[in-house]
Amino acid sequence: MAGRETDEVGGVLDPHSPDPPAWALMQAAEVVRRVDPENGGVLRRRRPTTVPVVSVSDRYLVGPLDLRAVEFPYLLEFVRCRFEQPPDMRQARLAGVEFRDCWLPGLQGRNLRSDNDLQFIGGTVIAGTLDLTDGEIHGTLVLSGTTLAPRTGPALHGDRLHLAGALLAPNLVARGEVRIPGLRSGGNLNFAGAHLDNPRGIAMNGNGLQVGGNLHLTPDPRTGTPFRCDGQLFLPSARVDSDFSLRGARLTPRTEHSRPVPPDDPFFDPNATLVADRSRVDGNVNLDRDFTSTGTVRIVNAHIGGSLRLSHARVDLSGGREPFAERPGPAPGPYPDRALHLDGTEVRGGIDARDARVAGQIRLVDVQVQGSVLFDRAVLSNRDGDAVEGRRFSVGGNLDGRSLLVFGSVLLPGAKVGANLDLRGSRLLAPGSYARDSSPKPSLDLRVSHIGRDLICADGDVPFAAHGEIRMRRAEILRETNFHGSHLGDGRNPVALNAFGIQTQELRLDVAGPPDGQVDLRHARCAFLADNEVFWQARGRIELEDFRYDALATPVELDDDAEVERRLRWLRHGMREVYRPGPYEQFAHMLRAAGNEEHAATALVEKQRRRYGALADGARLAAPGIRVWSWLQRWMVGYGYRPTRALAWLFGFLIAGTLWFSVIPVPHEANADDHLVWNPVLYTLDLLVPIVDFGHKNKWTVDGPSQWISAVFIALGWILATTVAAGITRMLRRSS
């Protein structure tokens, strides 16, 4: 080989054959003796300015290669060599070592110092542990295409290994634990296309490792071979100065656990494929582009300086049984393990999980995301359980789930969304149930949540549908709450929509089908209400007490009496004929605020009619009298809300009384000393108008039927007068 010392050999050695030819035998100690000038050692350089190289090719090295605690200022190069014993480089200070297409029974390199790269390349096989514990390499550790296959112990033992450069291990095959806790690397850790195979334990232990560049566990860019890991990736407290990428990786959990699931630790994930608790990544975390995991991906209390990317990822805990589609018949779920466990993690960018497929719970409790969260077209499955649990989940931008398909409950109580929560065209099916009493959980829980702009549960490519309750008690939506074209409830949960106490600017309830369950709008507040008749045909009662809205999206015209009657009919049907005064008063208040006094009076008359009906239903003996009194109040004075009708009745009674008292004989004067002229008009007017005295009622004495008619006129006068006074008082109160 030009530029270095080489061997004259009898052929090309196959280092992987256990039976080497006799011509290839060489004592390993001969490697050291070659650099001794007294033994005729001659060193050549690759270039005049580089360190001399000792190159050994096509040799079966017998006996120990003992470089322990040796300062060896030469580059060592082994090409197609096979070692009988593991080279001993403990506490050695070397210029650099390269093993190309070699076979080693292991390597002892504890506290090794290398001034240049340490390379195991070209198909090198290490059939024992590669021990680099506490080593220091002022270059790069290269394991490209290497196979680490120890019979016992870890494949790579690199605790506290310090690399000034990178760790390059593309297409590495490690049949045992890659143990690198506390590793410090000035550059990248690249395991592109590698296969870490330790299914009975931890495949990579990187507890507390520090990476000065990127951590790549990705497909090989030349062959497309994905990174595969059979066993657990254990990376708690890791520090990555740039991106942490598992793009396109294939992760399988270990088959045996180091400890049983503790009964007092509900947050332990026994089947985790990735554990990155308390890790800190300054760039992006990429779990996308066909990333696949059959166990839990756990990143708890971590810090991600960029974005968490999960687009087209697949986390499937079903063992391949999950259909990820809506179809009849039994399907797996709920799953005992979480699929994604991100509690307490801070993401300075966003979360992109578009087109993801997740079978198992996504846990987002106390997660903070400064950007947007995207779940468009994703399928999240944990049937009869919680598909998403995100208590106090905080999103700085949008939380989008357009055309999202969810099997299970989405629990986001106390969530904060800076902009829109958009679920248009989504389907929320198979919600879970509470363990304490087996009562159904909601499909979507937004209790006391805060949404900075719009909540959109409307139709998109398909209608929005939620088979369980939409629970949004005390939620605050600063702009629009939109249920346009949606289907709410399926009858298995008694409540379809629970919007108790929500506050929003515009509330759209123009649904596509009648809500299949109760609707609770008590204490809700909105500026505009958009609804349709279908909503009021809900199959459960609609609770409206103290529900306030300032205007309808489509105002009631002043001459549209039919619309008012139609809306009153909707109210009666929605409340299941149960009397509640508040909804009628609110409807009247809204009409009056729009200047529609006549229609407001119509609503209040209907309120009183329903009130007297409820009183009659509760009073068996007095029911007929109450119903008659209600009928008289309604037709005579409109329960006091139509005072002009009272004046009309007063004028009619005046005419009737005048006619009656005109045809009877002139009555006697009550005082014989008075000399009055009989006037039927003034006498009738004096009977009908209380308080005011026209000087006739007490001056004449009538008998027979006229006496009873006079008494009736006095009573009618008091009733009509008080009704007129009450109506005028209400008008004055409203005007003030």
Side-chain angles (χ1 to χ4, degrees):
M1 299 178 66
R4 67 191 71 183
E5 182 181 342
T6 60
D7 297 309
E8 296 297 332
V9 297
V12 176
L13 176 67
D14 178 8
H16 307 291
S17 173
D19 298 316
W23 57 262
L25 297 178
M26 175 181 174
Q27 292 294 322
E30 184 68 21
V31 176
V32 179
R33 285 195 294 269
R34 288 189 177 195
V35 301
D36 185 359
E38 295 181 0
N39 295 324
V42 179
L43 295 174
R44 297 184 180 181
R45 302 176 184 269
R46 293 174 176 172
R47 291 187 298 273
T49 58
T50 61
V51 177
V53 179
V54 176
S55 180
V56 180
S57 302
D58 300 293
R59 292 296 188 186
Y60 179 40
L61 300 175
V62 180
L65 175 58
D66 188 359
L67 295 173
R68 183 172 183 176
V70 170
E71 184 172 347
F72 196 80
Y74 310 112
L75 292 175
L76 278 171
E77 180 181 70
F78 298 94
V79 181
R80 296 183 301 278
C81 292
R82 184 181 179 94
F83 290 78
E84 181 185 40
Q85 298 181 21
D88 189 350
M89 299 180 179
R90 290 174 289 176
Q91 297 93 35
R93 176 72 180 269
L94 307 179
V97 184
E98 177 181 319
F99 295 90
R100 181 185 299 273
D101 192 17
C102 295
W103 188 94
L104 297 86
L107 186 143
Q108 301 177 55
R110 195 177 188 92
N111 297 110
L112 169 68
R113 301 292 185 269
S114 176
D115 294 334
N116 290 285
D117 294 349
L118 182 59
Q119 301 189 45
F120 301 85
I121 57 178
T124 294
V125 175
I126 303 177
T129 297
L130 174 58
D131 188 353
L132 299 174
T133 302
D134 294 312
E136 185 174 345
I137 299 174
H138 295 279
T140 296
L141 173 60
V142 183
L143 297 168
S144 179
T146 299
T147 299
L148 306 179
R151 294 183 179 179
T152 59
L156 170 62
H157 198 169
D159 293 27
R160 301 171 298 281
L161 176 62
H162 185 191
L163 303 173
L167 194 166
L168 304 180
N171 299 303
L172 169 73
V173 176
R175 306 194 186 282
E177 179 181 353
V178 175
R179 183 177 174 83
I180 50 175
L183 177 143
R184 288 183 294 167
S185 167
N188 297 336
L189 260 66
N190 188 346
F191 286 81
H195 183 193
L196 307 184
D197 186 14
N198 191 30
R200 302 182 66 179
I202 295 176
M204 178 187 287
N205 184 346
N207 188 356
L209 67 81
Q210 299 181 34
V211 181
N214 299 303
L215 175 54
H216 284 306
L217 309 176
T218 56
D220 180 73
R222 294 174 301 171
T223 64
T225 303
F227 171 83
R228 291 167 293 165
C229 181
D230 298 323
Q232 188 177 91
L233 281 173
F234 189 67
L235 303 172
S237 303
R239 172 66 189 265
V240 181
D241 289 350
S242 189
D243 289 352
F244 175 23
S245 184
L246 277 157
R247 182 165 285 163
R250 306 285 189 267
L251 306 185
T252 304
R254 57 185 178 179
T255 57
E256 295 183 5
H257 312 308
S258 59
R259 63 186 177 98
V261 178
D264 58 344
D265 187 0
F267 304 108
F268 178 68
D269 296 300
N271 293 310
T273 54
L274 170 65
V275 175
D277 296 2
R278 305 175 305 282
S279 60
R280 183 179 182 90
V281 179
D282 291 343
N284 300 320
V285 174
N286 300 321
L287 307 175
D288 56 351
R289 299 187 189 177
D290 297 322
F291 167 85
T292 300
S293 173
T294 57
T296 304
V297 175
R298 179 186 172 102
I299 309 175
V300 172
N301 295 324
H303 173 89
I304 300 174
S307 296
L308 174 58
R309 296 170 176 169
L310 291 157
S311 59
H312 295 277
R314 188 183 185 103
V315 183
D316 187 359
L317 306 186
S318 70
R321 296 179 296 116
E322 177 61 55
F324 289 115
E326 185 178 356
R327 70 182 188 185
Y335 299 100
D337 298 332
R338 303 170 184 89
L340 291 173
H341 192 175
L342 305 175
D343 284 8
T345 292
E346 179 186 5
V347 182
R348 301 296 295 273
I351 296 179
D352 184 356
R354 289 175 291 182
D355 299 287
R357 300 291 182 267
V358 180
Q361 183 191 85
I362 299 178
R363 188 172 169 89
L364 301 168
V365 176
D366 293 312
V367 170
Q368 297 183 29
V369 181
Q370 292 193 7
S372 294
V373 177
L374 309 177
F375 280 96
D376 298 344
R377 301 175 303 280
V379 180
L380 314 179
S381 180
N382 193 27
R383 290 173 178 83
D384 303 318
D386 301 336
V388 178
E389 183 171 0
R391 302 176 190 277
R392 301 174 298 279
F393 182 37
S394 177
V395 180
N398 293 325
L399 175 51
D400 290 342
R402 294 181 285 256
S403 300
L404 174 68
L405 178 59
V406 179
F407 300 100
S409 297
V410 178
L411 307 180
L412 299 172
K416 294 182 179 179
V417 180
N420 299 324
L421 173 50
D422 191 348
L423 295 173
R424 74 185 71 197
S426 296
R427 298 180 63 79
L428 310 181
L429 314 176
S433 58
Y434 292 103
R436 61 179 181 269
D437 56 4
S438 299
S439 60
K441 286 185 177 181
S443 281
L444 176 62
D445 189 348
L446 293 172
R447 287 172 294 166
V448 297
S449 60
H450 176 91
I451 299 173
R453 297 182 66 183
D454 301 335
L455 169 62
I456 305 173
C457 298
D459 57 353
D461 297 335
V462 297
F464 173 87
H467 283 187
E469 173 188 351
I470 302 292
R471 182 179 297 172
M472 42 197 298
R473 292 174 62 92
R474 301 292 185 186
E476 184 179 11
I477 300 99
L478 297 188
R479 289 207 324 188
E480 181 184 68
T481 302
N482 188 346
F483 290 96
H484 172 74
S486 63
H487 293 273
L488 304 178
D490 68 347
R492 283 177 285 187
N493 192 315
V495 179
L497 175 62
N498 186 344
F500 179 96
I502 70 163
Q503 297 186 33
T504 186
Q505 282 293 308
E506 182 176 356
L507 179 59
R508 295 197 61 176
L509 296 172
D510 46 349
V511 295
D516 199 350
Q518 298 177 16
V519 176
D520 191 349
L521 294 174
R522 292 175 297 164
H523 303 285
R525 303 286 186 270
C526 68
F528 296 95
L529 173 64
D531 58 356
N532 58 9
E533 184 174 5
V534 175
F535 169 75
W536 296 98
Q537 300 297 319
R539 296 184 175 91
R541 182 185 302 173
I542 301 178
E543 299 289 349
L544 298 167
E545 195 63 29
D546 200 31
F547 170 42
R548 298 183 184 179
Y549 49 95
D550 297 334
L552 296 174
T554 304
V556 178
E557 300 297 334
L558 296 177
D559 58 349
D560 194 352
D561 297 340
E563 177 65 16
V564 175
E565 293 296 335
R566 182 163 48 250
R567 286 195 163 273
L568 290 173
R569 186 170 63 251
W570 293 356
L571 278 178
R572 291 194 300 270
H573 187 277
M575 293 189 293
R576 291 296 185 269
E577 304 295 335
V578 174
Y579 171 67
R580 294 286 187 274
Y584 295 101
E585 293 173 355
Q586 167 58 38
F587 185 39
H589 174 78
M590 183 273 301
L591 292 170
R592 189 180 299 118
N596 199 337
E597 292 285 348
E598 286 300 316
H599 288 157
T602 300
L604 294 173
V605 167
E606 177 64 15
K607 181 195 79 169
Q608 291 294 338
R609 188 182 75 84
R610 300 292 303 164
R611 171 176 173 267
Y612 280 106
L615 289 174
D617 292 339
R620 296 181 180 178
L621 297 178
I626 293 175
R627 296 187 189 279
V628 170
W629 177 245
S630 173
W631 184 86
L632 290 173
Q633 286 278 310
R634 184 169 71 254
W635 288 106
M636 292 182 66
V637 294
Y639 297 106
Y641 295 105
R642 300 192 183 279
T644 55
R645 184 181 296 180
L647 292 174
W649 280 103
L650 189 67
F651 185 71
F653 289 142
L654 177 61
I655 295 175
T658 300
L659 292 176
W660 173 263
F661 291 116
S662 296
V663 298
I664 66 172
V666 176
H668 303 288
E669 294 176 339
N671 188 349
D673 295 334
D674 292 335
H675 299 284
L676 301 174
V677 178
W678 170 245
N679 190 325
V681 176
L682 292 178
Y683 182 77
T684 305
L685 188 62
D686 219 355
L687 294 174
L688 291 173
V689 179
I691 302 175
V692 180
D693 188 1
F694 292 95
H696 282 70
K697 179 173 61 176
N698 298 321
K699 302 296 185 179
W700 300 95
T701 301
V702 294
D703 52 11
S706 298
Q707 186 177 13
W708 292 102
I709 291 175
S710 297
V712 170
F713 276 13
I714 291 172
L716 290 173
W718 275 103
I719 293 172
L720 295 174
T722 53
T723 301
V724 171
I728 294 173
T729 302
R730 276 190 290 269
M731 287 190 294
L732 292 175
R733 188 182 299 117
R734 291 196 300 267
S735 63
S736 61

